[in-house]
Each structure stands twice: as structure tokens, then as C-alpha cells.
Amino acid sequence: MEAEVVRMMQMPSLRNTAYPTEQSIVQFSGMNNRYPVTAGTIRDADGLSGAQMPSLSALPAQTEIRTYDNPVRMYPYSGGVLCITQDGIFLNDIKLTLPHGMEQQLRATEADEYLIAGINTQIVVYPLKISISVTDKKIYSLDTDCELGTNLVTDGTEPNWTLHLNEWVESEGQYFDLIRVQKSKLLRVVWVRFHSKDGTIKMLPMRSSEQVYKVNDTVDICDEFGTVLVQSATIRYMTDTEVGFYANSLKAALEYYNGKLMFKRTAPSLTTLCEGDNRLWGTEGNTIYACALGDPFNWHRYDGLSDDSYAVSVATDGDFTAAAHYGTHICLFKENTIHKVYGSKPSNYQVVTVTAPGVKTGCARSVATVGAVLYFCGRDGIYAYDGDAPECLSANIDDTTIPFAIGTAQHYVAYTGERLLAFDTVRKLWLPVSHDWLCDMVYAGGETFLLHPNGILTRRDEHIDYTKTCDWWVQLEDIDDTTPAQKRYQKLLVQAVIQRNAWLRIDIRMDGGRWREVSATEGTRGAMLSLPVYPNRCNSLGIRFRCHGDVTIHSITRCYTSYSERR
């Protein structure tokens, strides 16, 4: 009886109704401004490096090199950096002597108007139409005029020039049409500063010891009014007092001409410019030009030789927006068209026209090559061109106007006007890099050079020196898979390695509220740490890391409780 009473008093065993605890690891990924976003997506950052992705680490610090006054543009070359300012042109820290009147041109030219390309030891700059020699540190004009004067004299003196048709030149072993001139007529005009007696400074022309032209230069021979008498005549022989052209090439125009004579060499007024296959390529209007082989001074030499210059017109609508050398061909872009020039010499050049997304107007400096892919900013986003149809890469970001960009070893680094973005060409993701305000940037010799509006030129190395690393931070996109997904966070574990003399601060915000610091850790011995964070219940959770020095954040482990979907 007592046993039955005891059995009746026993209560039935209750089922455990506690909700299970689950864990998941969050790996960091690139930017994604399109809904929905996944946990670990990066919203913004300053000083973030993509070298160790998917782990977060610091960008190498900047080293100050020198300071310029009123900087505008940069261009890298084998010996350093060319810098154009509103006050002058510099090769590294050497200020070049400017031709007369160029100071006003520098002050009136905006950064986006400059077109710069290098060929051999020359750096060509448009719209100034100059060539800068990096060997002798001098500036030469692409357009030159040389007035020979008249061959008529009335005072018994020697005429300024005389014509000698079909004359044998022993040293060359052939006949030439020669124009003999006074030696000083063929010397380059330079402008020299003089102090006059009244204390004023004057710029006066003086003839230097350098000749204006050289053999293989192509010139137009004009009268005193600029009317062309002989077009595109190529100099084939030259001394201090003689200029030789092909035999019988001058007879028809100059045999009975007795007026003033002028040599003139002109380059087209290009609106796009690039270098490819030892030639400069560019466009003016709807015409595509290429200079003579290895010679940026000659654009109108048509002698039927393999080193001639080249020109061809196209009939597509719109203006050319950019030019670039890619692989085996030259790309001339319009906003909706790409003209591709194939071939190895003028006789076999051919232009292939493709209707495809091109470079956006005003974004010519966004064109950059990384590996075997050409990247550029188009009307509808940022594109990658590998020889086929361009592919849009910017579907996940909002910054689609790129004033200028560079290509590094692994990243396409684009400046949006407010911050730097980097596209990792291996992992195929976008990263916010920094919030630098820049005039220009270039990549040369494995180093990135940044030109700031205050005139400071800095260098950012590929290798990190943590003794110079500044503060950096990363903000993640808000996690909103809590209440809607029946989850409640118990804690977050941040896996990080903090080296000596470094520190890590973790901030969180809930439902878009204020940021508050929930963890502060100093570096000691560089071991892997799991830093706990305890958020309150919320619909969305924001996370921000503030770091100093050598800190590597590997991942976040989410520990949460999953509720039943039944209500």
C-alpha cells in the first residue's frame, strides 16, 4: 500500500525545453552596399590593408619625401617622379628651366587637362606640347618654327639661304636637294633673363648651341605668311649650314622662289594619349595618330618606311575619352565604343571597332593595368577588360565615378574624390583603404606615391614597418539576422593577434544607436586572443574595430540561442 502511494506521488519527468546554443564563424569579406548583406561585410575603413584578407590588418605607413608648392600632377619614370605644379616642373627635387610664357600655361591648366606619357628617355606633356628629357633635364617643344629669312639681298651681303638642287654629297654617297643657310639660323632659340639699366627684368631671345632640327625630322617648308610650300619634307642630311632633302623633292616648289623661308614642325593637338610599342598614340577629333617609331617629335612622316608615323580617321559618334596600351593592341575609347589598333608597323595597322562600354568622359586617368587585365571607369560602373567584352565589377559598391586610379601588383586602387578603394584582383572583392585627400597618385618600383593638396609627396611601401604604422579602423555592416532569424546573441568572440606596443578597441552599437566601447586590449606577446563581447538584445548590431600598430583580426565567432519558429 505504501509503495503504491509513493508511486502515485512521483511526478512525471519534464522534457528539457532550454533552447540550444549554437556557434558560427564570421569571415570578413569585401564591400557590399546592396541588400541583403552578410555578416562580416566591410562598410568603411581607414588604413586597412588587403594583403592578409580575409584577415584584417594595417596598411603600411606613409613616409614623407618632399614638399611642392601648388602641386597638380605626377608621373613616374625610371629615376623617380615628375611633378607638375602651378609654379614649375620638377624631376624629383630638380626644378626645370621653363620656356618663355609657360608659367601662365601652368597656372591656367587644370589637373584633368594634362596628358602625360613616357617614351624612351622623353616624357611628353599635353596640352603644353612639350617633351622633357630625363637625361639632360631640359624641356623641348614639340612645335618649332625656324625662320631662315629671304634669299634676296640688295646690299651685297650673303643671302640667308640658297637652294642647290640634286647635288652630290660625298659623305652620304647620294644626291640631295640642299638648302644652305647661315649657321645661326639653325640654332635653337632660348630665352635669357636680363637686368636692364632701369632695374626692370626682360626676357630676350638668344640662340643656343643646339640645333632646332635633326636628321629624320619632318618639316613643312612655308613662306613668310605660313603658307605651306612643301608639306612633310623629311630631313635626310644635315650639317651646321646645310639641310638636305630627297633629290628633286624641292624643285617644283622652290626652284624659282625668292621670298622668305620658314621651317615648321607641328604635332597634333591630342585629347587622349598613351604609349605602346615604342610609339605615342593619341586622338584629335575623329583621327587616331601615332608618332614615328621612338620619336615623339615627328607625327607627319609618311615615307613608306616601317618607322613612319601613322594616322587614320574613324566615323563613330562621340568624342574619344581615353587611350591605353593593352597586350597586343592599342585601345582608343569612346563612352560606348572601343577602337582597337592591331599590327606592328604602319603598313599593316588595322582598326577594329567594337560597340562596348568604354571610358566615361572625364575619367581618362581611371585607366590602369593589373596583370593581364585593363581596368577603367565607364558610364555605368567600373569595368575589367581582358581583350573580350568589358565586365562590370562595381555592382556591390556605390562609388562609380573615379577621377584617377593606379594598378599595383595585385590591386586596382581607385580614388573616388573622398577615399581610396582597392579591388583585389585575386579574391575579386572591393576594400575601403583610406580616407586620404589626394591630388594624384602613381605606382612605380613596387611603391605607391601619394601627392597631397598641401604639397606633401609621400611614399607607401609594400612592406609594413610597424614602428611607423599609424592608427587604423574598420567598420562592419550591421548584422540584422537577430530577431527576424529567431536568434539572440549570448556573446561574440573576436579572434585577434595583438603584438607588443599595439592595442585593439572594439565598439558596438545596437539598432543604429551610439557607439560604445566594450573591449580594450593592449598587446603583450603576440598570442592568439579570443576577446568576448556581450551585446544586448537588438534587431541590428554594428561592430567597429579601432587599432594601433601590428594588430591582425582573423574572425568573429558568434555564440547565439536559436528560438523555435513556432509561436
Side-chain angles (χ1 to χ4, degrees):
M1 183 68 181
E2 292 180 359
E4 292 181 3
V5 172
V6 172
R7 284 196 300 268
M8 293 177 62
M9 293 178 64
Q10 289 178 347
M11 303 296 293
S13 59
L14 297 176
R15 187 176 58 181
N16 183 10
T17 58
Y19 297 111
T21 299
E22 300 180 12
Q23 291 185 354
S24 66
I25 297 177
V26 175
Q27 294 286 343
F28 302 114
S29 60
M31 300 173 64
N32 182 8
N33 295 342
R34 304 292 184 263
Y35 185 85
V37 296
T38 58
T41 301
I42 299 174
R43 171 179 286 186
D44 200 3
D46 190 13
L48 173 64
S49 171
Q52 300 186 48
M53 284 297 291
S55 299
L56 308 180
S57 59
L59 195 68
Q62 299 182 35
T63 302
E64 183 175 332
I65 301 176
R66 65 183 67 91
T67 302
Y68 298 104
D69 293 330
N70 304 312
V72 180
R73 282 291 304 274
M74 276 195 310
Y75 184 82
Y77 69 100
S78 58
V81 175
L82 165 74
C83 184
I84 300 177
T85 72
Q86 292 183 357
D87 305 313
I89 299 176
F90 296 81
L91 288 176
N92 294 326
D93 56 352
I94 301 175
K95 187 174 183 179
L96 305 183
T97 302
L98 299 179
H100 178 64
M102 187 165 289
E103 296 89 344
Q104 291 79 4
Q105 288 182 276
L106 293 176
R107 297 189 184 99
T109 306
E110 300 292 334
D112 289 338
E113 296 180 69
Y114 282 107
L115 305 172
I116 309 175
I119 177 172
N120 299 328
T121 60
Q122 303 287 328
I123 301 176
V124 175
V125 182
Y126 273 79
L128 304 180
K129 298 181 79 170
I130 59 173
S131 180
I132 301 169
S133 173
V134 299
T135 54
D136 60 16
K137 307 295 189 298
K138 294 182 180 180
I139 299 176
Y140 302 97
S141 176
L142 299 184
D143 292 346
T144 58
D145 293 342
C146 180
E147 296 185 2
L148 304 182
T150 180
N151 68 339
L152 292 178
V153 292
T154 57
D155 57 359
T157 60
E158 184 180 352
N160 291 304
W161 65 272
T162 55
L163 179 65
H164 303 269
L165 297 174
N166 205 23
E167 185 163 317
W168 177 259
V169 177
E170 187 66 32
S171 60
E172 298 296 319
Q174 60 180 309
Y175 291 92
F176 290 104
D177 284 353
L178 298 178
I179 297 180
R180 289 197 175 97
V181 299
Q182 297 178 12
K183 179 178 180 180
S184 62
K185 294 296 183 180
L186 296 178
L187 298 183
R188 187 182 304 277
V189 175
V190 297
W191 293 84
V192 182
R193 186 184 299 269
F194 282 95
H195 294 268
S196 59
K197 294 182 179 180
D198 59 2
T200 60
I201 299 177
K202 296 182 178 181
M203 298 294 292
L204 299 178
M206 297 288 290
R207 294 193 180 272
S208 73
S209 59
E210 300 174 358
Q211 288 190 337
V212 181
Y213 302 108
K214 63 183 184 302
V215 174
N216 291 329
D217 275 356
T218 300
V219 298
D220 290 336
I221 303 177
C222 308
D223 62 15
E224 59 183 311
F225 303 106
T227 303
V228 177
L229 303 176
V230 182
Q231 188 173 21
S232 299
T234 302
I235 299 174
R236 293 303 181 185
Y237 169 75
M238 193 167 186
T239 66
D240 290 343
T241 57
E242 293 180 332
V243 184
F245 302 86
Y246 284 128
N248 299 316
S249 61
L250 306 183
K251 182 176 181 179
L254 300 182
E255 184 175 11
Y256 301 106
Y257 180 76
N258 295 317
K260 291 184 178 180
L261 211 59
M262 176 190 301
F263 289 166
K264 179 180 291 186
R265 184 185 62 205
T266 59
S269 300
L270 303 178
T271 56
T272 63
L273 182 67
C274 75
E275 187 278 334
D277 299 329
N278 203 21
R279 298 178 188 268
L280 292 183
W281 294 79
T283 58
E284 180 185 11
N286 259 4
T287 303
I288 299 172
Y289 288 96
C291 74
L293 186 67
D295 187 354
F297 295 94
N298 287 284
W299 296 80
H300 303 287
R301 185 198 302 163
Y302 308 112
D303 292 336
L305 304 177
S306 60
D307 62 350
D308 281 353
S309 50
Y310 175 76
V312 63
S313 295
V314 296
T316 52
D317 293 332
D319 297 328
F320 281 99
T321 55
H325 178 216
Y326 175 76
T328 59
H329 58 277
I330 306 296
C331 295
L332 292 311
F333 293 94
K334 295 186 177 183
E335 285 197 337
N336 297 301
T337 308
I338 304 177
H339 295 278
K340 307 177 186 180
V341 183
Y342 294 89
S344 58
K345 53 186 178 181
S347 61
N348 63 16
Y349 283 148
Q350 56 179 325
V351 180
V352 177
T353 301
V354 178
T355 300
V359 177
K360 182 179 180 180
T361 300
C363 295
R365 296 163 64 194
S366 70
V367 181
T369 301
V370 182
V373 181
L374 187 71
Y375 297 86
F376 61 87
C377 177
R379 292 181 61 182
D380 300 318
I382 301 170
Y383 290 85
Y385 171 74
D386 60 359
D388 199 358
E391 176 188 0
C392 185
L393 305 174
S394 56
N396 294 333
I397 63 174
D398 294 329
D399 303 283
T400 56
T401 298
I402 306 300
F404 54 84
I406 59 172
T408 65
Q410 183 177 321
H411 295 86
Y412 173 71
V413 183
Y415 181 64
T416 68
E418 297 178 351
R419 62 177 178 173
L420 285 173
L421 302 180
F423 179 75
D424 191 321
T425 60
V426 175
R427 301 177 181 91
K428 307 300 181 184
L429 52 83
W430 286 96
L431 294 174
V433 176
S434 67
H435 283 258
D436 290 307
W437 188 29
L438 302 175
C439 290
D440 204 356
M441 61 180 176
V442 297
Y443 180 77
E447 298 174 330
T448 301
F449 295 87
L450 306 174
L451 185 60
H452 301 265
N454 59 4
I456 297 177
L457 175 65
T458 61
R459 180 184 62 241
R460 180 169 278 154
D461 299 333
E462 288 292 298
H463 303 290
I464 301 176
D465 181 0
Y466 285 108
T467 62
K468 300 187 292 185
T469 301
C470 58
D471 297 344
W472 58 283
W473 58 266
V474 179
Q475 178 185 344
L476 304 180
E477 292 283 356
D478 291 353
I479 302 174
D480 58 359
D481 62 350
T482 52
T483 300
Q486 310 304 323
K487 295 178 182 178
R488 179 184 179 186
Y489 285 111
Q490 293 182 344
K491 63 181 176 180
L492 302 174
L493 295 176
V494 177
Q495 282 75 38
V497 175
I498 309 174
Q499 301 292 344
R500 189 180 300 274
N501 300 323
W503 51 257
L504 168 63
R505 308 283 191 266
I506 304 176
D507 303 332
I508 66 171
R509 68 177 180 182
M510 291 165 287
D511 297 329
R514 289 188 174 184
W515 292 100
R516 62 184 179 92
E517 184 178 303
V518 294
S519 177
T521 308
E522 301 288 336
T524 53
R525 53 192 175 87
M528 177 72 75
L529 303 176
S530 291
L531 308 176
V533 175
Y534 300 96
N536 296 329
R537 187 170 183 175
C538 58
N539 289 329
S540 66
L541 176 65
I543 304 174
R544 182 177 65 187
F545 303 110
R546 292 181 291 121
C547 312
H548 174 80
D550 189 359
V551 179
T552 304
I553 306 171
H554 292 283
S555 63
I556 300 175
T557 300
R558 298 186 294 178
C559 303
Y560 55 86
T561 300
S562 295
Y563 295 96
S564 172
E565 296 183 0
R566 298 177 60 185
R567 294 294 184 182

